Amino acid sequence: MVKISVLATHKQLTEAELSALQSLRAVFHNFVLSFITSFQMPDCYSRELMVDYMLKMKQLCSDVITRPLSDKSGNRLESVFSFFTDPDYLDSMFRPDSAFRPTMQQIVTILQNQVNQGNI
């Protein structure tokens, strides 16, 4: 994301890439809201919804970085999204008795603050 920000700041993105970036921001916003809700109300958690959001974000990120960045960046993107879209891993993160719960609480608090400040 840092590289994308640098590219955008230095006007290195095409109109199509900028459009994909705007779409990415919108999908990310909706993902964050769903992430927060899924954590706060575990009965609302939907593995399919989370995976769908992440696959959309992966595609949009790919649309932005394919031309201006190296294959190494694309491979890194693939690796990160492959890890986080693993359904069993997602289920383990959002279970109320999850070992990840304290860390997830910290993440949710940060995300809520960013949403409330209009940064997401």
Side-chain angles (χ1 to χ4, degrees):
M1 295 312 291
V2 172
K3 288 181 181 183
I4 292 173
S5 178
V6 169
L7 290 169
T9 300
H10 294 287
K11 303 194 184 317
Q12 298 294 311
L13 299 176
T14 66
E15 287 301 317
E17 292 160 349
L18 288 170
S19 177
L21 185 56
Q22 282 302 110
S23 295
L24 175 60
R25 286 179 179 144
V27 172
F28 181 70
H29 177 82
N30 291 332
F31 169 77
V32 166
L33 295 179
S34 294
F35 186 95
I36 292 168
T37 300
S38 294
F39 176 79
Q40 293 174 334
M41 298 182 288
D43 291 342
C44 292
Y45 166 69
S46 168
R47 169 201 294 187
E48 294 79 17
L49 180 65
M50 294 304 220
V51 169
D52 185 54
Y53 276 134
M54 284 192 271
L55 291 176
K56 285 178 185 174
M57 289 187 294
K58 175 185 165 189
Q59 182 58 55
L60 291 165
C61 281
S62 181
D63 292 348
V64 173
I65 70 167
T66 297
R67 184 195 59 80
L69 297 179
S70 69
D71 288 344
K72 181 179 174 185
S73 294
N75 292 338
R76 191 174 301 119
L77 176 75
E78 178 66 35
S79 177
V80 168
F81 277 96
S82 292
F83 178 80
F84 283 106
T85 55
D86 177 273
D88 294 330
Y89 180 71
L90 278 173
D91 290 348
S92 72
M93 285 178 31
F94 285 97
R95 275 195 337 262
D97 63 343
S98 171
F100 300 112
R101 197 98 179 137
T103 302
M104 290 282 286
Q105 178 62 64
Q106 292 174 336
I107 293 168
V108 165
T109 299
I110 291 166
L111 291 173
Q112 280 179 316
N113 288 337
Q114 293 302 305
V115 169
N116 292 340
Q117 293 173 13
N119 297 327
I120 294 179

